[in-house]
Amino acid sequence: MNVRYRHGLFNRLFAEQALSRSAGAPLIEGNAADLLIDAQAHYDAWLEAIAAARSHVFLENYIIRDDPVGRRFLDALAARARAGVFVAVIADWGGCLGQSRSAFWNDLRAAGGQVRIYNPPKLGSAFGWVSRDHRKVLTVDGAVGFLSGVCISEKWLGDPSRHVPPWRDTGVRLRGPAVAEIEQAFADSWRETGDPLPEGLPPSAAPPAGDVSLRVIATQPSTAGMYRLDQMVAAMARETLWLTDAYFVGVAPYVQALSAAARDGVDVRLLVPGSSDIPMVAGMSRSGYRPLLKAGIRVFEWNGSMLHAKTAVADRRWARVGSSNLNIASWLSNREIDVAIEDVGFASQLAEQYEADLENATEILLRPRSRRTGNERMRSRSPRPPRPRRGGGSSGRAAAGALRLANTVGAAITQHRVLGDTESGPLLAGTLVALVLTAVAVIWPAVIAWPLALVGAWFAVNLGISWWNMRRRRKQRHD
């Protein structure tokens, strides 16, 4: 018995060390964690926390839109700034492009708040604009913090007048020492955009508020901490690994990790949107279903307007919630932030939510092997969810509409859909695009030449500025 106890203790410590090293984030004890489901719950909790601020408010979000929801937050932040609260906001240039303009922030700046835009295009950095701040973070007074996939936009609330349901999204409210880690991550983003925060901000860690142990994984471009953690969890899961992702693009190493887990008897499931606000990414995601299904991984498509949550739950003991998608952009290019919670109560709650979500999802199935060819033949047997008029869409309605309509009744009864030949869709789209570009180049060469000339000029200017800056720094060192 004593030997068995020591063996179990060693395994737990070994797993804890492996997770800490892979994520680059220590385990933080003494926290309280509350699950938040969908945007309305988030907005209510966020606005309540902002209204109670006495010291400072840190807000970092990929999209802050100039619409009724965005203006409610703007008014709430400006009110606290006028009351003497230090208000600091980081919005992403790419995420807010076409969503809100610089003038949107005038009222908050006039009230004394500070606003910074992350990574706008600048000369001397030809590819610098690729990195985005994809975080969705709010902290107040060092006492409460929020991590989520929810942006500040009325799109997340759907459109009842057009029968478009709210977007499905997930986040977490935290209290305790972990909030200081979130604020340190915000402080790092703030330094990336200008001068550091004033002295004394953020404050020291809050006292314990519960018994939840967790890790705050604040990834930066090229660090890949979340990717290493996702790989590690796929390797360590023993019974279940249930994933929800908005923009899944299966890179080979991660697909292999999931496939190895499934072949080893782990119940691996992936829930993705059936109708996406970025149709191209949805098409790429569907083109990768086949190797997942062949490995025994169960794939489900959400039947609502848009599934935007980014979560994982393993063995009802470990859970992840945050902003990172399962794709290269999130793992290697963006600033992201997630929380990995090691708590049976919270993980069980997220697992129950996952099972409830599957009630509104359609499972994707491989068609049985054909005796004639010996290969899996696949065809679609389910209609796509209705396409939202704003902020959502389906990438495959036109291409497979006839087949889906022919099998609507069967799919509705079984809640299953037999996968179509999704690999042919991207190939056909690529062929058509190439033919169109070729025709345009032959008939109207200037239409192709001018954009290429502008791209060439952009790179020439940026490379020239980079060379000049490097030469100047070298000269300063010699002087």
Side-chain angles (χ1 to χ4, degrees):
M1 182 70 177
N2 200 20
V3 173
R4 188 178 303 172
Y5 172 78
R6 288 200 301 269
H7 181 69
L9 180 63
F10 171 79
N11 286 340
R12 183 177 65 81
L13 294 175
F14 182 79
E16 179 179 329
Q17 184 181 65
L19 291 171
S20 294
R21 290 181 179 178
S22 62
L27 190 67
I28 305 171
E29 299 179 340
N31 303 283
D34 301 313
L35 194 62
L36 297 176
I37 301 299
D38 293 344
Q40 191 61 62
H42 283 77
Y43 296 157
D44 291 344
W46 291 356
L47 289 167
E48 180 182 3
I50 291 171
R54 296 295 178 265
S55 169
H56 62 272
V57 176
F58 297 157
L59 174 63
E60 183 176 4
N61 207 295
Y62 180 62
I63 298 174
I64 303 176
R65 190 181 184 193
D66 185 0
D67 63 18
V69 170
R71 287 189 286 274
R72 281 185 65 196
F73 276 87
L74 184 70
D75 293 343
L77 293 168
R80 299 320 299 150
R82 283 191 291 269
V85 174
F86 180 82
V87 175
V89 177
I90 302 174
D92 184 77
W93 179 86
C96 292
L97 185 64
Q99 307 292 322
S100 55
R101 300 181 179 181
S102 178
F104 172 72
W105 301 106
N106 288 347
D107 289 346
L108 178 56
R109 289 189 171 113
Q114 298 188 33
V115 180
R116 294 183 180 177
I117 305 301
Y118 180 80
N119 201 20
K122 54 182 177 291
L123 295 176
S125 181
F127 290 103
W129 58 270
V130 173
S131 174
R132 307 274 32 113
D133 187 346
H134 195 244
R135 298 175 179 178
K136 293 89 177 177
V137 167
L138 171 68
T139 67
V140 175
D141 295 346
V144 61
F146 300 87
L147 302 179
S148 181
V150 175
C151 294
I152 298 177
S153 167
E154 66 178 354
K155 290 191 297 183
W156 264 253
L157 298 177
D159 189 347
S161 66
R162 294 192 172 104
H163 305 289
V164 177
W167 287 19
R168 174 69 188 84
D169 219 327
T170 303
V172 61
R173 172 173 47 204
L174 299 174
R175 299 180 186 274
V179 178
E181 287 292 313
I182 304 172
E183 295 203 329
Q184 291 292 344
F186 178 89
D188 181 71
S189 295
W190 192 257
R191 283 192 299 270
E192 282 290 307
T193 56
D195 295 333
L197 290 169
E199 292 293 331
L201 293 174
S204 57
D211 56 2
V212 174
S213 298
L214 55 86
R215 306 172 200 276
V216 176
I217 304 104
T219 55
Q220 303 172 21
S222 304
T223 58
M226 196 67 246
Y227 174 71
R228 291 193 299 271
L229 184 66
D230 282 333
Q231 286 274 25
M232 185 68 67
V233 170
M236 296 176 68
R238 306 182 73 173
E239 297 177 359
T240 61
L241 177 57
W242 296 347
L243 307 167
T244 302
D245 201 68
Y247 307 108
F248 175 80
V249 179
V251 297
Y254 188 60
V255 170
Q256 291 168 3
L258 296 179
S259 299
R263 292 189 176 106
D264 202 30
V266 178
D267 176 11
V268 183
R269 305 183 187 184
L270 175 65
L271 175 61
V272 294
S275 177
S276 177
D277 63 324
I278 306 180
M280 181 181 69
V281 176
M284 294 172 65
S285 180
R286 289 194 182 103
S287 69
Y289 286 174
R290 186 191 297 266
L292 301 174
L293 296 170
K294 290 178 70 174
I297 297 167
R298 299 178 69 184
V299 179
F300 300 83
E301 287 189 349
W302 176 251
N303 293 332
S305 59
M306 175 59 188
L307 175 77
H308 197 259
K310 305 98 167 48
T311 69
V313 58
D315 298 340
R316 290 182 180 263
R317 293 180 177 274
W318 181 94
R320 173 175 66 80
V321 179
S323 67
S324 294
N325 292 298
L326 300 175
N327 59 41
I328 288 294
S330 282
W331 281 328
L332 295 179
S333 178
N334 296 339
R335 300 180 77 86
E336 306 276 4
I337 191 163
D338 299 78
V339 59
I341 298 176
E342 300 180 17
D343 180 79
V344 173
F346 185 91
S348 296
Q349 188 180 0
L350 189 59
E352 291 170 3
Q353 179 63 48
Y354 194 94
E355 291 176 322
D357 288 340
L358 294 188
E359 297 286 328
N360 190 41
T362 298
E363 184 169 10
I364 310 302
L365 301 174
L366 282 171
R367 184 177 179 179
R369 289 179 179 272
S370 168
R371 293 182 180 178
R372 185 176 299 176
T373 64
N375 296 321
E376 291 88 349
R377 293 177 57 82
M378 302 182 293
R379 59 190 178 91
S380 178
R381 296 185 58 190
S382 174
R384 285 278 164 236
R387 177 172 181 164
R389 298 195 182 186
R390 290 183 294 175
S394 168
S395 65
R397 293 179 69 197
L403 287 175
R404 292 185 185 115
L405 287 173
N407 296 280
T408 299
V409 176
I413 294 174
T414 64
Q415 284 296 293
H416 292 163
R417 181 165 65 84
V418 180
L419 184 65
D421 248 333
T422 54
E423 286 84 349
S424 64
L427 290 176
L428 177 60
T431 301
L432 294 176
V433 170
L435 288 174
V436 170
L437 290 176
T438 301
V440 170
V442 170
I443 300 173
W444 302 288
V447 174
I448 302 295
W450 278 108
L452 289 177
L454 291 174
V455 170
W458 169 258
F459 281 109
V461 169
N462 280 279
L463 291 173
I465 292 175
S466 297
W467 169 82
W468 175 258
N469 289 335
M470 185 181 299
R471 181 175 180 273
R472 185 179 58 183
R473 286 193 297 267
R474 186 182 303 160
K475 186 176 180 181
Q476 288 173 348
R477 285 197 299 269
H478 290 323
D479 292 344

